[in-house]
Amino acid sequence: MIMIAAACGSGKPNQLGYQVVPFEAVNQSGDPMSLSHLKGKVWIADFIFTYCATVCPTMTANMSELQTRLKSAGVEAELVSFSVDPERDDPAALKQYLLKFDADFSNWHALTGYEFNEIKTFALDSFKTVVAEDTSSDQVIHGTSFFLIDPSGTVVAKYDGMTDTPYDQIIRDVKALQR
């Protein structure tokens, strides 16, 4: 866990500084979604897929817990889960999957509608995280981090999305970005 010192002035998280490249997708309702829809908002992103047999159920449960805690704290942030298996994850599959985790779709967007090579390149260019086909199974290899993006579209922090997810730190960091 990287701690941010307040001595830098604002106390806002800024350890990464990756710029999110523009993207076009559709959400779990089939509605268009792009980077411009998130401009001016603080958001948290992760990478999942509905057929995942390993890390995705835990990550999605943790994202659901984060959504609950953000709401309880009265903190607004968008949650964005990018599918790394867009060929199988159509909007209906994503919606059904997230409903198993009591997702509130008012601020949680599960995205698809692009090609596998597009999400692979997007994940690497925007989040410096790997998405790769697992040639020995039907699974997709991907990172397990939650990424915090500021209102300008810059990735400013990442957190463990699997074990010991630092909910309180994420909420503090979201609040700091909203000041």
Side-chain angles (χ1 to χ4, degrees), residues 90-113:
D90 64 13
L94 288 168
K95 187 172 208 167
Q96 183 179 12
Y97 181 75
L98 287 190
L99 283 172
K100 294 179 195 171
F101 298 92
D102 299 320
D104 175 350
F105 296 121
S106 66
N107 70 324
W108 192 348
H109 316 279
L111 303 185
T112 189

Side-chain angles (χ1 to χ4, degrees), residues 50-122:
T50 62
Y51 294 88
C52 182
T54 56
V55 297
C56 300
T58 301
M59 290 175 61
T60 306
N62 290 345
M63 188 67 89
S64 180
E65 176 66 18
L66 177 60
Q67 184 178 48
T68 299
R69 290 185 187 208
L70 285 163
K71 281 191 188 335
S72 294
V75 176
E76 288 189 28
E78 301 294 306
L79 305 179
V80 180
S81 294
F82 291 96
S83 171
V84 296
D85 189 3
E87 281 76 31
R88 288 193 288 184
D89 286 346
D90 64 13
L94 288 168
K95 187 172 208 167
Q96 183 179 12
Y97 181 75
L98 287 190
L99 283 172
K100 294 179 195 171
F101 298 92
D102 299 320
D104 175 350
F105 296 121
S106 66
N107 70 324
W108 192 348
H109 316 279
L111 303 185
T112 189
Y114 36 74
E115 299 296 321
F116 177 78
N117 282 335
E118 290 176 293
I119 192 65
K120 182 177 164 181
T121 302
F122 172 77

Side-chain angles (χ1 to χ4, degrees), residues 1 16 21 49 65 77 85 100 115 120-121 123 135-136 138 143 145 149 159:
M1 175 69 195
L16 298 178
V21 298
F49 63 108
E65 176 66 18
D85 189 3
K100 294 179 195 171
E115 299 296 321
K120 182 177 164 181
T121 302
T135 55
S136 66
D138 68 346
S145 295
I149 300 92
Y159 314 91

